[in-house]
Amino acid sequence: MIDAPPTTGENILAGIRSVTHLPISHLVYSHHHADHIGAAYLLANKDVTIIAHELTAYELSLTPDAHRPPPHVTFKDSYTLRVDNQTIQLDYKGPVHDPGNIFIYAPKQKVLMVIDIVFPGWVPFASLAEAQNPTMFIKAHDLILEYDFDYYIGGHVDRAGVRKDVLIQQNYIQDVYNNARTAILLSNSPPNATNPLSASTILGPIEAANPDNAWAMFAGYVDTLAQYCANVTTEKWLGKLGGADVYTYSHCEALVESLRIDYGVLGPFGVQPS
């Protein structure tokens, strides 16, 4: 069994009993977040072996929760789980969403499960699905496409995905990245009729309204760039991916910040030519 979402609760057990009389032998944690394994306690006393990445075990130790019992078995890079004639490959590729978030692959069925990366038919949840490392979130799409899969399980919204869904979201995220980067570069350019994002244009009114408030100035700067990115991106993707009008701004904001501190695209806050 993979994960135990609390919203499903005891219906998980009823669903399993409806298709097999065999007991659950193993529970694999995709990562440590409670919205995916918050009902694991229902299996904790049923001779079920819980398997997770070693970083998931560490994260769980930081916030002990009786609903998310610690794993019995952990691994660092890869782990192969074999039960009777079924095989599941567990791989860790880095912090693509959360430290310990793993790739779960059933080679016989050609099913790949990577939670909280691709949301088939939808844009990701807020702020790149709350990714702790935006650069790895972006890279995750390429890592997913390295697998030979027919079906993709993302853990949220209303359907499973296929390879095309991964490619579509990858294109969406690339657009967010490109538009956020363009916004930063424009903010480092002189103001003119076609550039409303010049830092001098943005910061002047904010400083006047918030004298001696450096955080207000910087927050207003980031907000203006993120809003530009969101407007351009949403115009293209509205009607193509669900929620483009809801979460695109948060993705733009996350990537404006990541471009600055991870990629070194600092705009007017970088070294300026003398």
Side-chain angles (χ1 to χ4, degrees), residues 3-210:
D3 284 351
T7 49
T8 308
E10 296 199 13
N11 289 332
I12 297 173
L13 303 180
I16 292 172
R17 285 194 295 267
S18 72
V19 295
T20 180
H21 66 281
L22 297 175
I24 299 169
S25 61
H26 297 80
L27 172 61
V28 175
Y29 286 170
S30 64
H31 63 305
H32 89 281
H33 285 163
D35 61 323
H36 291 280
I37 62 170
Y41 72 98
L42 295 172
L43 302 171
N45 297 318
K46 299 183 182 296
D47 297 322
V48 174
T49 299
I50 301 175
I51 303 171
H53 190 265
E54 62 185 21
L55 289 175
T56 294
Y58 172 73
E59 293 289 335
L60 288 170
S61 74
L62 298 178
T63 54
D65 177 5
H67 287 178
R68 294 176 288 164
H72 306 107
V73 176
T74 63
F75 64 96
K76 182 177 182 180
D77 297 317
S78 294
Y79 184 93
T80 301
L81 174 62
R82 293 185 177 89
V83 179
D84 296 331
N85 64 342
Q86 301 299 318
T87 299
I88 295 179
Q89 182 67 31
L90 311 178
D91 299 316
Y92 185 61
K93 304 286 187 177
V96 294
H97 165 66
D98 172 68
N101 206 81
I102 58 175
F103 289 59
I104 303 163
Y105 181 55
K108 181 179 179 181
Q109 294 82 4
K110 289 191 175 183
V111 174
L112 177 65
M113 183 177 189
V114 188
I115 298 300
D116 288 340
I117 301 297
V118 176
F119 297 70
W122 296 78
V123 303
F125 185 70
S127 302
L128 305 178
E130 307 295 346
Q132 294 190 23
N133 188 322
T135 59
M136 284 300 299
F137 177 86
I138 294 172
K139 183 179 179 181
H141 296 76
D142 286 329
L143 295 173
I144 288 169
L145 292 168
E146 290 176 358
Y147 285 81
D148 179 18
F149 66 93
D150 292 332
Y151 299 100
Y152 175 90
I153 308 298
H156 284 285
V157 294
D158 53 1
R159 67 172 174 85
V162 294
R163 202 170 195 85
K164 182 179 178 181
D165 291 301
V166 180
L167 292 167
I168 290 172
Q169 184 178 292
Q170 186 178 47
N171 288 336
Y172 167 79
I173 293 297
Q174 188 63 52
D175 278 351
V176 174
Y177 174 95
N178 291 342
N179 293 331
R181 188 175 189 277
T182 295
I184 296 174
L185 296 178
L186 286 173
S187 76
N188 200 35
S189 301
N192 56 53
T194 61
N195 180 19
L197 296 181
S198 176
S200 59
T201 302
I202 296 171
L203 296 176
I206 299 174
E207 183 177 18
N210 302 273

Side-chain angles (χ1 to χ4, degrees), residues 236-264:
K236 176 178 176 180
W237 286 94
L238 191 63
K240 297 178 181 178
L241 286 177
D245 55 333
V246 178
Y247 283 137
T248 296
Y249 172 86
S250 71
H251 305 324
C252 287
E253 184 179 38
L255 278 176
V256 166
E257 289 289 16
S258 180
L259 279 157
R260 290 191 325 99
I261 63 178
D262 296 323
Y263 294 90

